[in-house]
Amino acid sequence: MPQQSVDINNSGSATSVAPASIANTGVYHDNRTFYPPPASKPVTWPCVFGQVPELSSAFQPRAALRKKIDQARISHTTVVLTQVLRGGGGVGKSQLAAAYAREAQRDGVDMVMWVNATEADQVISLYARAARELQIAGVTGTDARADARRFTEWLAATPRSWLIVLDDIDPGHFDQWWPPSSPQGQGRVYATTRRQDAVLHGGGRTVVEVGVYSEAEAHAYLTEYFARIGKRHLMDDQMDAVCRTLGLLPLALSHAAAYMVQENIPCTKYLTLFNHRRSRLGKLLPRWADTEKYGREVAASLLLNLDAAQQREPVGLALPTLRMAACLDPAGQPHALWTSDATNAYLTAHLPPDNCREDEPDEQTQPAYGVLRLLHSYGLITDDFQAEPRAVHIHALTARATREATPDTTLDTVKAAAADALMEIWPSADHTQPDLRAVLRTNTETLTTLALELLWSTGRHGLLYYAGVALLHAHLRSAGIGYWEGLALDAERVLGGDHPDTLTARNSLATSYHQAGRTSDAIEVLGQVVRDRERILGTHHPDTLSARNSLGACYQHAGRTSDAIEIQEQVVKDSQRIRGSDHPQTLNARNSLAASYQQAGRTNDAIEVLEQVVRDSQRILGSDHPDTLTALANLGACYNEAGRTSDAIGIKEQVVRDRKRILGSDHPDTLTARDSLAVSYHNAGRTSDAIEVLEQVVRDSQRILGNDHPSTLTALGNLGASHHHAGRTSDAIEIQEQVVRDSERILGNNHPQTLNARHSLAVSYRAAGRTGDAIEVLEQVVRDSERILGSDHPDTLTARADLATSYRAAGRSDAATEEKEQVLRDSERILGSDHPQTLNARHSLAVSYRAAGRTGDAIEVLEQVVRDSERILGSDHPDTLSARADLAAFYWQPGVTNDAKVLLGQAVAKLERVLGLNHPHTLRARANLSAIREHEEGRGAWMPTDIRRLSDALRRWMSRQPRTWDRHTPP
């Protein structure tokens, strides 16, 4: 059984495959990209969008129901009324809506639209196409969602008349795409749904229940149906009895009429057959099991057509095909499933011996192809090639009747074949074909509800793991946690707590916890998995090493860096000894170790490890392997941390080029690489370049991944930060407030990414002078970080330091100094005296001392920061240069310490040379130098201090400088 378990590590990025290129057809593809056609002609009214269904030739106007709908519309206070025609399957909701649409066309309504609204994407696509063809102002043709929004705005404002039908909506995913009200009163909306959600009653909508035919309508339906095709002889005195026996359900009547026409039998004979069938199914279809209230007679009528279909070519395949369809998602199954080897073998086993093919069939000669069309013609399924990957539909009642009419032993064989087919067509790389994966998940869910014990007992539970891993890769956090918690319990119950597959399920449960930000839960589960694997498999088993590596990654994310390094160093040693130095998992373990070194401030160690990993990966896996590119990207991030900004940018630009070439511009890994490159541009002071890249990354992420994907939120947050550093604070705040709202809605208030988003927003509030707002947000971030991450987590320390800075900005100097002193003590205790974050804490404390007039204390602290930074980070590291420039500024006093001004000028010159004119550190140092000059010219003030103490400190500092320095102030 294939085991799929997602290891938690910090060495890779989300993966996906770019959608295939689309010809220049002038249509939206997958609601993402528009390829514009030649210049459009002027709009010709009236317009029709979508395909309005043809009315049944025996369509019943249903006057009483129409009157109810029309009265509800007239009496309702909202001008644009959304009629939700709600009812069970087969009651004729869509036909009623189609009648309204066709009447609107006949009446000359300016715009009629029919939307198959099962999924919001379908609605967005058609809205966007309409916006394009109607030439609505502001429509670009490059962003389907934006264009769709323009269309809804047009609906609200246009004086033209319009009618929209939203067929088969899912209210839970539809709230933002309901057409709006119109002050002109020219719009109407009708929607159909089977759902009972309370939300349907809101937003100016009224719900109209759609039931079965009246007896008169049912009689008229059959009369008109038979008369239209010249089969009046099928009508006899039992026709009304047939209607009543079928429960007056339009769907059942249509099946019965089709069967009678196909088999050329009158109502009396049909009723005899039906009653005979009912007696056989009486125990199999009891009324208490009919939750949809169709009645057992209806279920029996749905299966009557099956006898006739079973005798048609391909003979003998209608029943086994319908049985398999009945075990899968009624909302749709992909054709790939029906052309799979597993399905072909299953159906071939039911062919008569003289019909079996010895040659390899192509798609259109495979058994499933003909029988799907046969079942479609009998009305037992819908086979729609244009609806991929939900091409094959079966009514839920038909599916249920089929299953309950099948012996249990036979049904087990069918379910096993369905499971094999699903496993066979599951994409080997889970980042590919997202639409297909989503459909495979829903089909697996349906099969699981019917065959959970069978899947476990026959060893086919690998399918359950596939579906669970797909949830993780889709970032469906809540669903993923619930799924893996249930699967872990099922595995333990069926296989036992020590079975390797049970441990795999628990490992994936930990991954789902980690993805949801529940790091403590992930560590608890992984710790037990490690102990169990060590006990059962042994300390050196590859699965044990993988679990330990995942545990180390969780420790790192929890801020327990020392624990992470201890585990990961041992994993690297064991993996090298057991698997060999060149094994991909060994390379992965070394990559993870480098990430922990980086977090621990051991940047040089991280670089040393990663440079070797890159060389080995290029030699072993090849330069174009995804793992090689990931290691290279991580090395670029370490170079950035070490202040080697140019090297970092060079590497990251290369990674972007390679990922575009290998994976395509729209691959999620390419988006991640571009996002990372923009961060390096930002750190290098190339803020304009960073913003340009990030704006495109955000647009592409929204188009490819969706607005709610975590990677989209990350890119949007980075864009806000770049705006902040570019001085565009209002733009930054607008973006960051949206990121906070989206993060809280999608990830939850307690997710670390949400805490980071609120933290960044608070920093922008402070920069905008909204110090009170900044303090309020940061105080909550600190409380939440201490509760969720722990008091010793590096992110908690950073939040406390920024809170102290906000206190200082608000004039609360004592509180700021006290908090920063405590942050420094905690940083030294937790991270160590030489950690870069500890150096930053000292630097920040020195700034607070100086702001409080304690310049001597500030200089003493900052002198230590400069010495330590030069020793740990290097003389040319951005943080070292910044500390030296600030120290020179601290030394300066008017008329006494002019040498400090000279030193500050030289520091500015070096910052400009090393970091560039627009780097934040350069800009701050130049601002200090400008302030000194303004003071000397009588245009500014400077903070007083103990001049003698300052002068002595300056002399001491100058005496330690290894080079002579120019006493002339640089221009």
Side-chain angles (χ1 to χ4, degrees):
M1 193 285 294
Q3 299 180 7
Q4 289 202 6
S5 175
V6 179
D7 281 344
I8 305 169
N9 57 62
N10 196 37
S11 61
S13 57
T15 54
S16 183
V17 164
S21 60
I22 306 300
N24 188 9
T25 59
V27 296
Y28 284 91
H29 173 69
D30 200 19
N31 304 311
R32 295 167 180 165
T33 305
F34 186 82
Y35 298 84
S40 58
K41 300 178 181 179
V43 179
T44 302
W45 302 95
C47 301
V48 178
F49 297 97
Q51 186 67 43
V52 180
E54 293 288 340
L55 295 180
S56 166
S57 59
F59 171 73
Q60 298 304 300
R62 308 184 74 170
L65 181 57
R66 287 284 299 262
K67 182 179 179 180
K68 183 179 179 182
I69 294 172
D70 294 338
Q71 286 178 340
R73 180 173 182 269
I74 293 170
S75 62
H76 204 273
T77 57
T78 303
V79 176
V80 177
L81 172 67
T82 299
Q83 294 283 357
V84 180
L85 308 179
R86 188 176 70 190
V91 297
K93 303 181 299 295
S94 296
Q95 281 280 293
L96 276 168
Y100 278 106
R102 293 199 170 273
E103 288 173 7
Q105 289 179 273
R106 290 195 300 270
D107 294 340
V109 171
D110 291 323
M111 193 276 292
V112 175
M113 174 180 285
W114 183 279
V115 189
N116 295 319
T118 305
E119 296 179 359
D121 283 351
Q122 296 171 296
V123 180
I124 295 168
S125 180
L126 191 55
Y127 280 10
R129 181 166 71 85
R132 170 82 177 178
E133 295 186 15
L134 293 175
Q135 301 175 23
I136 295 171
V139 171
T140 64
T142 59
D143 186 331
R145 282 184 170 267
D147 291 352
R149 189 64 67 196
R150 293 283 188 185
F151 176 69
T152 61
E153 293 168 357
W154 177 85
L155 291 175
T158 182
R160 290 191 176 274
S161 58
W162 53 267
L163 179 142
I164 294 178
V165 176
L166 304 166
D167 191 36
D168 197 20
I169 63 166
D170 179 353
H173 301 88
F174 201 76
D175 55 338
Q176 61 178 315
W177 295 110
W178 287 103
S181 298
S182 167
Q184 286 80 9
Q186 298 298 311
R188 283 184 292 159
V189 182
Y190 294 92
T192 71
T193 183
R194 301 182 185 187
R195 300 282 291 270
Q196 302 289 328
D197 304 58
V199 69
L200 293 171
H201 295 268
R205 296 180 288 273
T206 184
V207 175
V208 178
E209 299 288 351
V210 180
V212 298
Y213 282 152
S214 67
E215 290 192 18
E217 290 167 342
H219 181 96
Y221 173 82
L222 288 182
T223 300
E224 293 175 23
Y225 189 98
F226 293 135
R228 176 182 61 85
I229 55 177
K231 298 287 185 179
R232 293 179 181 274
H233 65 281
L234 301 182
M235 296 185 290
D236 58 30
D237 59 1
Q238 293 299 310
M239 189 168 69
D240 287 341
V242 168
C243 294
R244 289 191 297 272
T245 302
L246 294 176
L248 307 175
L249 184 70
L251 176 63
L253 286 167
S254 68
H255 282 349
Y259 179 86
M260 286 185 273
V261 169
Q262 183 73 29
E263 301 302 316
N264 197 33
I265 61 172
C267 290
T268 297
K269 186 172 182 180
Y270 175 86
L271 189 61
T272 300
L273 289 171
F274 180 84
N275 287 334
H276 177 68
R277 177 71 62 139
R278 182 185 60 180
S279 62
R280 287 180 58 195
L281 297 178
K283 293 183 179 181
L284 297 175
L285 299 173
R287 292 185 179 275
W288 55 262
D290 183 17
T291 59
E292 295 187 15
K293 308 302 182 186
Y294 287 107
R296 63 182 180 182
E297 295 86 355
V298 175
S301 72
L302 291 173
L303 295 179
L304 275 179
N305 285 4
L306 184 57
D307 286 343
Q310 182 75 345
Q311 304 307 314
R312 304 290 180 178
E313 289 290 340
V315 176
L317 293 190
L319 179 57
T321 300
L322 194 64
R323 284 171 172 169
M324 180 178 280
C327 293
L328 297 165
D329 184 6
Q333 304 140 27
H335 270 127
L337 182 143
W338 290 100
T339 57
S340 65
D341 291 342
T343 301
N344 183 51
Y346 163 72
L347 292 179
T348 300
H350 292 84
L351 283 171
D354 56 342
N355 283 3
C356 292
R357 298 179 57 93
E358 295 183 0
D359 57 323
E360 186 69 24
D362 59 32
E363 181 176 328
Q364 295 200 1
T365 59
Q366 285 181 322
Y369 182 82
V371 74
L372 289 176
R373 301 310 300 167
L374 173 68
L375 292 173
H376 178 85
S377 69
Y378 270 87
L380 290 163
I381 66 167
T382 299
D383 183 23
D384 184 0
F385 285 91
Q386 295 182 340
E388 284 287 11
R390 296 187 180 275
V392 179
H393 298 253
I394 180 172
H395 191 279
L397 180 59
T398 305
R400 179 175 158 192
T402 302
R403 292 193 305 269
E404 295 184 359
T406 304
D408 290 343
T409 53
T410 301
L411 202 57
D412 284 348
T413 302
V414 177
K415 294 171 183 176
D420 291 341
L422 287 168
M423 293 179 70
E424 178 185 332
I425 69 170
W426 207 287
S428 57
D430 207 70
H431 59 269
T432 61
Q433 301 174 269
D435 294 337
L436 175 61
R437 289 201 325 273
V439 172
L440 294 179
R441 286 202 313 268
T442 60
N443 276 272
T444 300
E445 290 168 5
T446 300
L447 182 61
T448 300
T449 61
L450 303 172
L452 180 62
E453 297 299 328
L454 175 72
L455 294 177
W456 285 108
S457 62
T458 60
R460 290 180 169 86
H461 51 281
L463 178 63
L464 305 177
Y465 289 78
Y466 288 169
V469 171
L471 286 170
L472 295 176
H473 283 284
H475 291 275
L476 298 172
R477 289 167 176 77
S478 297
I481 288 174
Y483 185 93
W484 284 108
E485 285 178 338
L487 193 62
L489 290 174
D490 287 338
E492 184 172 0
R493 172 177 56 82
V494 177
L495 304 176
D498 289 351
H499 193 281
D501 290 347
T502 302
L503 300 181
T504 297
R506 290 184 191 146
N507 194 92
S508 293
L509 172 60
T511 300
S512 68
Y513 283 148
H514 177 264
Q515 190 181 82
R518 294 171 55 177
T519 312
S520 298
D521 293 331
I523 288 173
E524 181 179 354
V525 173
L526 274 175
Q528 187 60 53
V529 169
V530 168
R531 290 190 291 273
D532 289 342
R533 282 183 169 168
E534 288 176 340
R535 174 175 53 84
I536 300 163
L537 304 175
T539 304
H540 298 147
H541 192 279
D543 289 350
T544 305
L545 296 180
S546 295
R548 286 162 56 199
N549 195 41
S550 295
L551 179 59
C554 270
Y555 279 147
Q556 181 214 334
H557 285 283
R560 297 171 56 179
T561 315
S562 299
D563 294 333
I565 290 174
E566 181 180 356
I567 288 176
Q568 291 167 328
E569 285 180 334
Q570 189 61 50
V571 168
V572 168
K573 293 175 186 174
D574 292 342
S575 189
Q576 288 174 330
R577 177 168 48 83
I578 297 164
R579 295 163 164 163
S581 298
D582 289 353
H583 193 281
Q585 292 300 320
T586 304
L587 298 178
N588 181 59
R590 289 157 60 194
N591 205 348
S592 298
L593 174 61
S596 293
Y597 281 157
Q598 183 180 358
Q599 180 171 291
R602 297 170 56 179
T603 311
N604 291 333
D605 291 335
I607 289 174
E608 182 180 354
V609 171
L610 281 171
E611 286 177 336
Q612 187 61 50
V613 169
V614 167
R615 288 192 294 270
D616 291 343
S617 297
Q618 290 172 334
R619 174 175 54 83
I620 299 162
L621 305 175
S623 297
D624 289 351
H625 192 280
D627 290 352
T628 303
L629 295 180
T630 296
L632 197 60
N634 290 343
L635 177 59
C638 277
Y639 281 157
N640 202 78
E641 189 80 16
R644 296 169 57 178
T645 312
S646 297
D647 293 336
I649 289 175
I651 284 180
K652 291 186 177 183
E653 287 177 336
Q654 183 61 50
V655 170
V656 169
R657 287 193 295 270
D658 288 344
R659 282 185 168 165
K660 281 183 178 179
R661 174 175 54 82
I662 299 164
L663 304 175
S665 297
D666 286 353
H667 193 286
D669 282 2
T670 307
L671 296 179
T672 299
R674 290 160 58 197
D675 188 13
S676 181
L677 173 60
V679 171
S680 288
Y681 284 156
H682 169 95
N683 291 335
R686 296 171 56 179
T687 312
S688 298
D689 292 335
I691 289 174
E692 182 180 356
V693 171
L694 283 169
E695 285 178 337
Q696 188 60 52
V697 170
V698 167
R699 288 192 294 269
D700 290 344
S701 296
Q702 290 171 335
R703 172 174 56 85
I704 298 162
L705 305 175
N707 291 333
D708 291 353
H709 195 280
S711 295
T712 304
L713 297 181
T714 297
L716 199 58
N718 288 337
L719 177 59
S722 290
H723 279 308
H724 166 84
H725 284 280
R728 297 160 60 176
T729 313
S730 298
D731 292 336
I733 288 174
E734 181 179 356
I735 291 172
Q736 290 167 327
E737 286 179 335
Q738 183 62 50
V739 172
V740 168
R741 288 192 296 269
D742 290 344
S743 297
E744 290 174 341
R745 173 176 55 85
I746 299 163
L747 305 174
N749 291 331
N750 293 335
H751 195 281
Q753 193 167 335
T754 304
L755 299 182
N756 287 335
R758 288 157 56 198
H759 188 162
S760 297
L761 174 61
V763 172
S764 290
Y765 279 157
R766 186 176 68 223
R770 296 171 57 179
T771 312
D773 292 335
I775 289 172
E776 181 180 356
V777 173
L778 279 169
E779 285 179 335
Q780 186 61 52
V781 169
V782 168
R783 289 193 293 270
D784 291 342
S785 297
E786 290 175 337
R787 174 175 54 85
I788 299 163
L789 305 175
S791 299
D792 290 352
H793 195 283
D795 289 353
T796 305
L797 297 178
T798 301
R800 287 170 55 198
D802 274 333
L803 175 60
T805 299
S806 296
Y807 285 156
R808 177 169 60 82
R812 297 167 58 180
S813 300
D814 291 343
T817 300
E818 182 179 352
E819 180 63 24
K820 288 192 176 184
E821 288 174 337
Q822 186 59 52
V823 168
L824 176 57
R825 287 193 292 271
D826 291 340
S827 297
E828 291 174 335
R829 173 177 57 84
I830 299 163
L831 305 174
S833 298
D834 289 351
H835 194 284
Q837 192 166 336
T838 304
L839 299 181
N840 286 335
R842 287 200 197 107
H843 193 158
S844 182
L845 175 60
V847 172
S848 287
Y849 280 158
R850 181 168 179 268
R854 296 170 55 182
T855 308
D857 293 332
I859 288 173
E860 183 177 350
V861 171
L862 200 53
E863 284 179 332
Q864 185 63 48
V865 171
V866 169
R867 289 193 295 272
D868 291 342
S869 297
E870 289 174 339
R871 174 175 55 85
I872 299 164
L873 305 176
S875 298
D876 287 346
H877 191 282
D879 290 352
T880 305
L881 298 177
S882 174
R884 289 170 62 91
D886 281 352
L887 181 58
F890 285 11
Y891 280 143
W892 185 83
Q893 280 296 307
V896 179
T897 55
N898 192 59
D899 288 341
K901 184 174 67 173
V902 177
L903 291 175
L904 179 56
Q906 292 178 344
V908 167
K910 188 167 186 179
L911 284 165
E912 290 175 342
R913 185 175 71 256
V914 176
L915 304 181
L917 295 175
N918 295 320
H919 194 282
H921 293 343
T922 307
L923 295 176
R924 188 174 72 252
R926 287 165 62 189
N928 281 335
L929 183 58
S930 178
I932 290 173
R933 289 171 176 167
E934 287 179 0
H935 175 79
E936 290 182 334
E937 296 169 4
R939 295 185 291 118
W942 196 257
M943 186 176 300
T945 187
D946 184 336
I947 295 175
R948 177 175 296 179
R949 183 178 178 186
L950 186 148
S951 299
D952 291 343
L954 175 60
R955 282 193 296 273
R956 290 196 306 273
W957 186 75
M958 289 168 55
S959 68
R960 292 194 297 268
Q961 302 312 302
R963 299 177 184 176
T964 60
W965 47 276
D966 185 1
R967 289 180 175 271
H968 298 287
T969 303

